[in-house]
Amino acid sequence: MKQTPEYDRIQAQMQKGVITLEGFLGDDPRKLVDIIASDTMTVHNLNTTCALIAGKMEHFRDLGFEGLGEFITLDEHFEVKVDSVRGLLPSPFGGPGMYRKVNTTVVNKTLGRQITYTDLHIHLIGDHCFFQGEGSTYRLEPKELVEILEVESLPSEE
């Protein structure tokens, strides 16, 4: 897929120091459309969708708000903690909203693994299938999210 001038503009917004100190691309030399296409293919190969991943992220965030910054046990599988920091961040893709600086940490006790993500991550993944560039400090790996959050698979086409 060819990158449009609009995606060039968005990719420029993702550089270090524009919206965030670290930026969104890490040391990934690829065009934004190629990063998204690669992650979209990974998600497809995991037999799920970016919308299902983001939905599961929202689910844990919403449940975690009850803990007021402390871990809460959801069931025999999961613990979750939500921390909020003052401030808002815009999406590099533009749009009407600003995203709260909320960190959600989900512990999958069965796997002995955890993952931390933000409200902006939920938007970037759910609306744009963008997990950030390779080498980015805040990149989330699709496979890790699917495994740790136990994201549903799509029904098989038999």
Side-chain angles (χ1 to χ4, degrees), residues 36-149:
I36 292 171
S38 176
D39 285 334
T40 300
M41 181 58 67
T42 298
V43 169
H44 175 77
N45 290 339
L46 292 167
N47 197 34
T48 192
T49 67
C50 292
L52 286 173
I53 294 169
K56 197 71 170 227
M57 295 167 81
E58 286 176 341
H59 167 77
F60 283 115
R61 186 223 32 226
D62 293 347
L63 292 174
F65 271 124
E66 295 177 24
L68 299 173
E70 300 294 326
F71 274 103
I72 59 170
T73 300
L74 301 180
D75 56 27
E76 68 278 355
H77 269 38
F78 295 104
E79 290 182 349
V80 64
K81 177 176 77 168
V82 174
D83 290 311
S84 184
V85 180
R86 284 182 50 168
L88 300 168
L89 286 173
S91 168
F93 288 90
M98 298 284 280
Y99 297 88
R100 297 173 298 168
K101 292 183 177 181
V102 171
N103 296 318
T104 302
T105 301
V106 178
V107 177
N108 183 316
K109 297 186 289 187
T110 304
L111 297 177
R113 295 167 61 197
Q114 72 178 37
I115 198 156
T116 300
Y117 55 86
T118 67
D119 280 8
L120 185 56
H121 279 118
I122 296 170
H123 158 71
L124 294 174
I125 293 167
D127 293 343
H128 306 286
C129 210
F130 179 65
F131 294 79
Q132 300 199 32
E134 297 288 341
S136 171
T137 304
Y138 300 103
R139 176 172 170 81
L140 297 173
E141 293 298 334
K143 186 174 190 286
E144 231 184 329
L145 279 167
V146 168
E147 290 173 354
I148 294 170
L149 303 181

